[in-house]
Amino acid sequence: MIPGRVRWFIGLVASFAVLALILFLPLPSMLKWQSGFLGRAFLWLLVCAILCLARVVRGPTAPDRSVAIDMLGILIVGFCAILSLSTGRDWYIDIGIAWALQSFIGVMALAKYLEGRDFDE
Amino acid sequence: MNEKIGMVVIVLGLAFDFFGCVGLIRFPDVYNRLQASAKCVTLGTCGILLGLFLFKGFSGAGIKALLCMVFILLTAPVSAHALARAAYRSGVKPWGGTVVDHYGEDLENIK
Amino acid sequence: MMKKAFLFMLWYLVWCLLAWPPSMQHMIIGIFVASFVSLMTNDMFSGKPLDTRLNPARYMWFLYYVAVFAWECFKANIDVAYRVLHPDLPIKPGTIRVKTSLKSDAGLTFLANSVTLTPGTTSVDIDRDKGLIYIHMLYISDSYDKDSMKLKVVDKFEKILRRIFE
């Protein structure tokens, strides 16, 4: 049986290896839109979003899920910034600003609901 | 030159985003998860937006990225604070390894 | 009246930044939008008369606060990254009370925000009557006196924020 510490270390090395592969692996030409640095950065953010979604699925209590949703909302602003760089369309960053404010209001409403208060306080 | 600095800042931001999400998976209870993810994801996204500003300079998109950074820096701690309070009020117990819990003791006396 | 004018200038600046680069259409629409928003948000920003608010020393202290805050924020992220990646998870969490002497709304908000983004601390709740702020810490070392109601970071930010907001 492998001790816990060694297992964590193996997991750490494996996750970093996956990230290095995502950033630096040469891709076949059919996936050409992902070959630049910004496309790879987009894939990296996708890995982070999948980790957040894992917490949403697994979270034992409701506040856990709310925290994960809050973090997902902030990550999506990052998505918008990367998208506006890689496609060259400036209006993606407008979506980012609107998304930041909207997710803030949504999380505040969730927090009030969890606390058991009315919304009109 | 600006683009190279921007690239470095974006990679730093991506790394901090990843650390925050790993903390979200690894830590044992809501409050610790909130700590890790609120700090790391906020700074990571600010790093990405700063990189965007360095790429674009003082054009429309760059100015908007700076504004977005200010919004996130103002709103993310507030929502983290509200979620921590809501978790305590909704009765989530702290993790077993907690050393002191003054807020749990005082919870009845505050409003 | 002066307060409304100040708010109008602030929101007009934000509108102009959002509609960069400036053009005639956007500026004219911005006058209407900014006056409407400054009427709506008038009673949210109550408090001090304007001449203390326009004191230039406050803005210099605000710049100093931003510099200190950015450095602490970066240190906090390094700290959290170390704790996340360490195989043993070196955490000893807990919530403590800390006494604060700030009174104004803006001061307390900024104090709670900057405590949340500094190493190992998150503000959980504020008791205004007793002047207490409850802080969740990620790692409480054994040498720390848990009932002393003092924390180094809070003291540091309090000193700066008192000069800005009070």
Side-chain angles (χ1 to χ4, degrees), chain A residues 32-76:
Chain A
K32 208 159 199 175
W33 66 276
Q34 288 164 335
S35 58
F37 162 72
L38 290 168
R40 305 297 182 83
F42 195 77
L43 283 184
W44 192 333
L45 275 184
L46 215 55
V47 172
C48 297
I50 287 172
L51 289 181
C52 277
L53 283 180
R55 181 45 74 193
V56 172
V57 173
R58 263 181 57 191
T61 58
D64 281 308
R65 300 193 167 106
S66 318
V67 170
I69 286 171
D70 183 18
M71 291 315 131
L72 202 60
I74 300 178
L75 273 183
I76 285 172

Side-chain angles (χ1 to χ4, degrees), chain B residues 12 16 19 22-23 26-28 31-32 34-36 38-43 58-60 63-64 67 71 73-74 77-78 80-81 84-85 88-89 95 97-106 109-110, chain C residues 14 17-18 20-21 69 73-74 76-78 80-81 83-89 91-97 110 113 116-127 130 134 136-138 140 146-147:
Chain B
L12 270 181
F16 279 126
F19 294 150
V22 171
R26 280 196 68 190
F27 276 164
Y31 311 107
N32 300 319
L34 195 63
Q35 285 249 13
K39 274 171 207 151
C40 281
V41 174
T42 306
L43 190 88
F58 282 95
S59 65
I63 297 274
K64 275 174 202 161
L67 262 183
F71 284 151
L73 274 181
L74 282 180
V78 176
H81 167 83
R85 202 175 117 121
Y88 256 108
R89 297 278 165 116
W95 177 51
T98 302
V99 184
V100 287
D101 189 11
H102 284 167
Y103 186 62
E105 294 162 14
D106 286 3
N109 302 329
I110 309 169
Chain C
V14 171
L17 288 181
L18 273 176
W20 201 267
F69 173 72
C73 188
F74 190 69
N77 281 276
I78 300 291
V80 170
R83 292 193 197 287
V84 165
L85 294 181
H86 198 284
D88 288 341
L89 276 187
I91 57 175
K92 268 198 255 168
T95 54
I96 55 170
R97 334 179 167 87
F110 268 82
N113 271 13
T116 299
L117 289 178
T118 46
T121 53
T122 302
S123 57
V124 177
D125 204 346
I126 291 177
D127 191 347
K130 293 180 199 154
Y134 291 88
H136 181 269
M137 288 184 73
L138 204 55
I140 299 179
K146 297 174 188 68
D147 293 321

Side-chain angles (χ1 to χ4, degrees), chain C residues 47-159:
Chain C
K48 297 279 169 356
L50 197 71
D51 49 337
T52 60
R53 199 168 276 189
L54 286 181
N55 187 359
R58 284 168 186 264
Y59 293 93
M60 297 312 289
W61 277 105
F62 189 72
L63 288 182
Y64 176 64
Y65 163 76
V66 168
V68 171
F69 173 72
W71 173 238
E72 290 284 335
C73 188
F74 190 69
K75 264 200 321 198
N77 281 276
I78 300 291
D79 180 66
V80 170
Y82 164 72
R83 292 193 197 287
V84 165
L85 294 181
H86 198 284
D88 288 341
L89 276 187
I91 57 175
K92 268 198 255 168
T95 54
I96 55 170
R97 334 179 167 87
V98 173
K99 210 161 191 65
T100 175
S101 60
L102 292 178
K103 287 283 186 294
S104 64
D105 274 343
L108 279 175
T109 311
F110 268 82
L111 181 67
N113 271 13
S114 43
V115 161
T116 299
L117 289 178
T118 46
T121 53
T122 302
S123 57
V124 177
D125 204 346
I126 291 177
D127 191 347
R128 301 193 63 164
D129 302 333
K130 293 180 199 154
L132 291 179
I133 172 167
Y134 291 88
I135 291 182
H136 181 269
M137 288 184 73
L138 204 55
Y139 187 85
I140 299 179
S141 60
D142 291 331
S143 57
Y144 176 71
D145 181 13
K146 297 174 188 68
D147 293 321
S148 66
M149 293 194 179
K150 277 206 172 115
L151 201 65
K152 221 188 276 169
V153 183
V154 174
D155 281 348
K156 194 158 121 197
F157 278 117
E158 230 177 40
K159 250 180 237 160

